[in-house]
Amino acid sequence: PLSSSALRLSRALSAPRVLYTREQRLSTMSKAAKDALAAQLDALMGKERDVAPEQRTGRTMHFTDERLDRYWLCGLSPYILFRNTRSDLGAWDKITDDDAKEDWDKLSQEEKDDYGYEYDLFRYLEQLVGDLDKNIKRQKDKLENDRVNKTISLSKETQAQVDALAAQIKELQTKAQELGEEGNVDESMSVMKEVEELQAKKTGLENPQFPGKEKVMEVCEVCCNFMANTDSDVRKAEHLAGKQHGGWQKIRDKLIELKARNDGKGPLPAKSKRPPSATGNGRERERSKDRDRSKERHRDRDGGRDRDRDRE
């Protein structure tokens, strides 16, 4: 007779195989998943991957194309940076194009400012870092509260010593009470002195004077990951080299770079979204002032003529 595992394997092999077509597999996917898959295929094989070779135009994508990842265009896309990490921002249907990036990089800074792409990236990075910093503060406050309430995480060896001392203290306290009831005051006092010494030793183990000997948790100021002071050098190096930490460090560096623009105000919004005072350059503002002064001189001359007529 076949064993239960062999019987299950036999049934699995004899069962008819169901083969799904490409269309059937795609029909079970969500729109976001389809868009993300299409974006990855476009990046690998080009936008005309489904077009017959003789019908392909070979036209390049302009950097204003709505399908393009404009965060990536400006040097950093959080969606690409955190893909398949704990900070994954979800499905992203935008694509990348090296030719469009090359054209974008050729623009002057003033021309880039007119589109407002870097302004959009700046605001998005501000939001991401702001939310993360709030989470870091919450986690640090929680750890500080645990420390104040003396909930330090002890090692297994130290905890075993604390438990043994607690049992010994309880036993001696019972003995001291019995000696006191029997009238052996001196012996009872001697036992209580021993209890006090053990209690001090227990307190020292529970609240180490040098926390470095015990496991103390810390929050990474860059990515909000938890680290322990007992972690090995290899573990710390892996954390610093990890995609999560490295990604948040790049985001923070990019945010500092963008914020340094325009005397610390950051990139300008798109030209169409700026107030009139922010759209013109220095020469335009000077021309506007000249026009205003010219209008005032004309008004003064006209006023003078009116006064002359009145005298006549």
Side-chain angles (χ1 to χ4, degrees):
L2 294 174
S3 63
S4 58
S5 58
L7 186 59
R8 285 196 299 271
L9 178 59
S10 175
R11 288 174 179 171
L13 292 175
S14 61
R17 296 183 63 187
V18 180
L19 300 178
Y20 294 98
T21 65
R22 177 175 177 269
E23 289 72 20
Q24 287 174 323
R25 289 196 300 270
L26 289 175
S27 67
T28 62
M29 298 173 63
S30 64
K31 183 181 183 302
K34 289 179 185 177
D35 292 340
L37 178 59
Q40 291 180 29
L41 290 173
D42 285 345
L44 291 171
M45 305 171 63
K47 274 70 68 181
E48 296 182 313
R49 52 189 167 78
D50 292 331
V51 180
E54 66 275 7
Q55 296 177 349
R56 293 177 183 175
T57 62
R59 287 178 297 184
T60 58
M61 177 181 287
H62 193 260
F63 56 73
T64 56
D65 196 302
E66 291 291 335
R67 296 171 297 169
L68 196 65
D69 185 348
R70 292 174 180 174
Y71 297 144
W72 171 84
L73 197 68
C74 296
L76 187 146
S77 174
Y79 286 91
I80 296 175
L81 197 62
F82 288 134
R83 186 173 290 158
N84 298 325
T85 70
R86 190 165 60 85
S87 296
D88 195 314
L89 297 171
W92 186 237
D93 62 352
K94 302 301 180 182
I95 62 177
T96 62
D97 185 271
D98 292 335
D99 292 331
K101 180 73 164 68
E102 185 177 349
D103 291 340
W104 171 262
D105 291 339
K106 290 177 182 177
L107 297 179
S108 66
Q109 188 58 56
E110 186 176 356
E111 290 173 319
K112 290 179 180 178
D113 288 343
D114 288 343
Y115 290 97
Y117 297 169
E118 291 179 323
Y119 173 80
D120 294 338
L121 173 62
F122 172 64
R123 295 304 300 270
Y124 187 42
L125 296 186
E126 270 192 329
Q127 176 190 331
L128 290 176
V129 171
D131 291 343
L132 182 69
D133 285 344
K134 289 178 184 177
N135 193 25
I136 289 174
K137 185 179 184 305
R138 282 196 298 269
Q139 299 301 337
K140 290 178 70 175
D141 289 345
K142 183 177 181 300
L143 290 177
E144 178 63 19
N145 183 61
D146 291 344
R147 187 191 67 78
V148 170
N149 293 326
K150 300 178 182 180
T151 56
I152 295 175
S153 178
L154 302 178
S155 64
K156 291 182 180 180
E157 295 78 7
T158 303
Q159 188 62 54
Q161 294 179 43
V162 170
D163 294 341
L165 286 171
Q168 191 175 357
I169 288 170
K170 185 177 181 181
E171 183 180 343
L172 289 175
Q173 286 174 335
T174 302
K175 182 178 180 181
Q177 184 178 356
E178 291 174 352
L179 289 171
E181 292 173 353
E182 293 173 358
N184 297 324
V185 179
D186 291 339
E187 290 185 29
S188 177
M189 292 289 291
S190 178
V191 172
M192 285 305 299
K193 186 177 180 181
E194 188 177 353
V195 167
E196 290 175 2
E197 292 174 355
L198 293 177
Q199 187 65 55
K201 186 176 180 180
K202 176 175 174 288
T203 302
L205 290 172
E206 290 176 324
N207 304 279
Q209 209 172 12
F210 304 98
K213 296 181 181 180
E214 299 295 337
K215 184 176 181 179
V216 178
M217 299 302 296
E218 298 173 349
V219 181
C220 178
E221 297 279 358
V222 173
C223 66
C224 196
N225 276 357
F226 283 100
M227 299 291 293
N229 64 327
T230 55
D231 287 341
S232 66
D233 292 339
V234 174
R235 170 71 182 88
K236 292 176 182 177
E238 287 176 347
H239 166 74
L240 295 175
K243 196 173 181 180
Q244 179 91 356
H245 182 91
W248 281 110
Q249 186 63 64
K250 288 178 181 178
I251 282 181
R252 291 180 183 277
D253 291 344
K254 187 67 175 180
L255 183 58
I256 292 172
E257 173 195 327
L258 293 173
K259 195 168 187 177
R261 306 262 184 90
N262 299 308
D263 299 326
K265 298 177 182 177
L268 294 172
K271 192 173 183 179
S272 60
K273 298 180 181 179
R274 297 180 210 164
S277 60
T279 58
N281 56 27
R283 290 191 298 274
E284 290 173 339
R285 285 193 292 272
E286 287 299 323
R287 284 197 293 269
S288 177
K289 291 179 182 178
D290 290 340
R291 286 194 294 270
D292 292 340
R293 284 194 290 267
S294 178
K295 290 178 182 177
E296 289 176 1
R297 285 196 296 270
H298 282 299
R299 282 196 294 270
D300 291 341
R301 284 198 296 270
D302 292 341
R305 294 191 190 100
D306 292 340
R307 286 192 295 273
D308 291 339
R309 292 193 192 97
D310 293 339
R311 292 192 194 99
E312 293 173 358

